[in-house]
Amino acid sequence: MHEFKFTGKNLYCEKVRVEDLARKYGTPLYVYSYQTLVDHFLKLKKAFHSVDPLICYSVKANSNLAILRSLVDKGAGLDIVSGGELSRAIKAGCPANRIVYASVGKTDKEIEEALRQRILFFNVESVPELENINRIARKLKVTAQVALRINPDVEPKTHKYITTGKLTNKFGIDFKSAQQIFLVRKALSNVKISGLHIHIGSQITESAPYVAAIGKMVDFIGRLRKEGIVLEYLNIGGGLGIVYDKETPQTADKFAAKVLPLLKKRGLKIIMEPGRFISGNAGILVTKVLYIKKTPLKKFVIVDAGMNDLIRPSLYAAFHSIVPLKSPGHRVTGSQEKVDIVGPICESGDFLAKARLMPKVREGEYLAVMSAGAYGFSMSSNYNSRRRAEEVLVVGSESFVIRKRDTWDDLVRNEIIPAFLLGL
Ligand code: PLP
């Protein structure tokens, strides 16, 4: 469910006509619906109210400060994976005791900063990382609270690039090694292991992989308890899928109904790290048709947004529904045709859709790439020296710029021509 709907012949975001935004701010343009964003967070919170979880929105999905602030204001915590995301989280006003930090490659500097900020805990992904956190915490004379990220070896039935909970993936620690860590934990004087964490993948549409993974965790926690090891937190990660095409992902309520009985078994404080579920359908990418190009074999709709703006189709062959901002039902030409919708970048992999059945579109017309609120702008780049898109947040009948389009100067801000090349 989201607040991008056709009213009459125009696509609206909440109470604002999207075409008006495209004309006012230019394209490519990310448009977000505040209400959709907050609704998804609150839906999850309500579905799980009986365990009162800390829902740490996953910053990587969409890290704009205004998006983070909107959620933090409603009580969200944040799941971060780098020093940069920590800095964003603090700038967005997130209390440090609502921040959890994963990543297989935390640097000394990042660990030190997170300890200084007193985040809730690190999700630790390996033994050397655990030892390093202990060393840095000792140097700072603090105790680092950590959760061990377990790799439960389950199949999440999603794209291989976004599968993270199988033993062939680089993430987490297997059960046997985790058990070993608990045996030697006393040697780690400045680390307190207070929880366990899993994150098995992304765009998971069924509950079965979660039930399998959480079931394994519940058993493991039970075994630890028998050995006198009592934990405080169970972090079940993110990964909840959304509708891009014909998926029928579980709702928050259905997901809760399946996993709550397991979560309640051990009485631990529950943490969740949803990203896509919250921001995915809260955003679209608006792009303008530059040219219609016919070749002997194909018809290309060339638009002004490229893989640098939205890389998911190129990277994962991900599907995004693409609709003209003017409703197809109200178009002069009613017929449909198969086209490739491609960007201006010098790569054959630069496409938003391939062999897509579309209503006939014209040059100068605007299109909306739907469900682009997660892993859209946050994965964007300046490749081909393209300025990154402007981002706008719609709240009712108002729109707010939440990130200005890059300027040409932004593109070269940190670059330096050595004096010798300037003949100085
Ligand atoms: N938590 C961790 C540790 C992750 O790596 C990710 C995504 O990669 C997420 C949460 C968020 O995943 P999603 O956006 O699928 O909910």
Side-chain angles (χ1 to χ4, degrees):
M1 286 300 110
H2 56 73
E3 285 299 317
F4 294 94
K5 295 195 182 99
F6 280 97
T7 305
K9 59 179 175 181
N10 289 295
L11 182 68
Y12 277 74
C13 174
E14 302 193 10
K15 294 197 170 64
V16 178
R17 201 166 76 128
V18 177
E19 188 164 334
D20 293 339
L21 296 174
R23 291 194 191 285
K24 182 168 177 190
Y25 301 108
T27 53
L29 177 72
Y30 274 98
V31 178
Y32 305 113
S33 154
Y34 175 81
Q35 199 189 320
T36 310
L37 182 79
V38 166
D39 263 11
H40 284 141
F41 171 72
L42 295 177
K43 261 187 197 137
L44 209 51
K45 199 169 160 70
K46 192 160 154 263
F48 281 84
H49 76 275
S50 60
V51 292
D52 190 22
L54 172 61
I55 301 179
C56 293
Y57 167 70
S58 194
V59 172
K60 65 178 82 65
N62 186 321
S63 52
N64 185 290
L65 290 180
I67 299 288
L68 303 185
R69 180 67 187 217
S70 303
L71 295 167
V72 166
D73 260 2
K74 298 291 174 197
L78 296 174
D79 153 50
I80 61 163
V81 289
S82 70
E85 287 193 352
L86 174 61
S87 155
R88 281 181 181 276
I90 302 294
K91 283 198 172 77
C94 186
N97 65 4
R98 285 198 242 149
I99 297 175
V100 294
Y101 187 171
S103 159
V104 293
K106 303 172 187 86
T107 65
D108 292 4
K109 205 155 176 258
E110 288 174 320
I111 293 168
E112 199 168 317
E113 186 53 28
L115 285 172
R116 286 191 199 284
Q117 293 288 348
R118 301 187 182 282
I119 64 164
L120 181 57
F121 55 72
F122 294 94
N123 291 317
V124 168
E125 309 239 11
S126 66
V127 173
E129 181 198 329
L130 186 62
E131 288 167 350
N132 199 30
I133 291 175
N134 184 57
R135 181 183 64 79
I136 297 168
R138 194 166 53 225
K139 188 182 85 183
L140 296 182
K141 299 191 174 57
V142 295
T143 299
Q145 184 153 247
V146 307
L148 296 186
R149 178 171 178 173
I150 302 292
N151 185 322
D153 198 24
V154 294
E155 172 55 63
K157 298 186 195 148
T158 185
H159 191 284
K160 63 178 189 298
Y161 282 11
I162 45 178
T163 294
T164 54
K166 290 195 56 81
L167 283 180
T168 44
N169 301 129
K170 67 178 173 180
F171 302 100
I173 301 167
D174 63 279
F175 282 110
K176 208 164 157 217
S177 306
Q179 180 103 28
Q180 295 289 320
I181 293 172
F182 280 106
L183 292 178
V184 299
R185 71 191 187 287
K186 298 231 165 75
L188 300 162
S189 57
N190 290 66
V191 157
K192 182 177 176 218
I193 307 175
S194 19
L196 296 176
H197 171 231
I198 46 170
H199 171 72
I200 57 175
S202 201
Q203 184 55 14
I204 302 167
T205 53
E206 304 168 21
S207 57
Y210 286 100
V211 171
I214 297 170
K216 286 186 176 190
M217 298 300 279
V218 168
D219 290 349
F220 185 54
I221 293 164
R223 289 204 299 278
L224 291 174
R225 219 167 251 186
K226 283 197 189 122
E227 290 168 25
I229 298 160
V230 181
L231 300 171
E232 205 180 330
Y233 298 98
L234 174 59
N235 181 342
I236 62 167
L240 288 172
I242 62 167
V243 178
Y244 285 101
D245 185 15
K246 296 192 180 70
E247 304 91 341
T248 47
Q250 55 199 330
T251 60
D253 283 335
K254 285 203 173 129
F255 176 55
K258 292 283 186 197
V259 300
L260 272 174
L262 282 169
L263 295 181
K264 285 179 181 168
K265 264 193 168 167
R266 300 290 177 220
L268 301 193
K269 171 93 185 147
I270 301 301
I271 296 187
M272 305 171 80
E273 301 173 337
R276 190 188 312 269
F277 182 84
I278 291 178
S279 61
N281 280 321
I284 61 172
L285 172 63
V286 184
T287 182
K288 189 176 182 175
V289 177
L290 298 176
Y291 304 104
I292 307 287
K293 175 172 174 174
K294 288 185 193 140
T295 70
L297 292 181
K298 281 193 170 217
K299 190 163 181 181
F300 293 97
V301 175
I302 302 174
V303 296
D304 67 358
M307 63 190 284
N308 74 299
D309 298 301
L310 180 66
I311 201 172
R312 299 189 67 256
S314 309
L315 188 62
Y316 312 131
F319 179 97
H320 284 266
S321 164
I322 300 181
V323 295
L325 294 191
K326 290 254 185 282
S327 144
H330 292 78
R331 305 174 72 75
V332 221
T333 47
S335 59
Q336 295 206 316
E337 57 185 358
K338 228 178 222 177
V339 295
D340 281 11
I341 303 177
V342 301
I345 288 189
C346 304
E347 301 277 347
S348 293
D350 177 29
F351 60 88
L352 297 175
K354 285 216 160 170
R356 181 72 57 87
L357 204 54
M358 288 283 294
K360 268 198 177 127
V361 294
R362 282 185 295 241
E363 291 174 1
E365 189 168 344
Y366 294 108
L367 306 178
V369 184
M370 305 302 290
S371 314
Y375 307 102
F377 187 92
S378 62
M379 288 181 107
S380 71
S381 76
N382 294 116
Y383 184 46
N384 273 204
S385 284
R386 285 170 48 81
R387 298 178 300 159
R388 278 186 297 167
E390 189 132 318
E391 295 179 285
V392 168
L393 181 67
V394 171
V395 188
S397 51
E398 284 189 276
S399 66
F400 302 87
V401 173
I402 58 170
R403 191 182 192 280
K404 290 189 270 183
R405 193 177 304 286
D406 289 341
T407 62
W408 303 131
D409 282 345
D410 288 335
L411 297 179
V412 293
R413 189 165 307 289
N414 296 321
E415 296 177 25
I416 300 160
I417 303 178
F420 82 94
L421 289 174
L422 296 169
L424 300 173

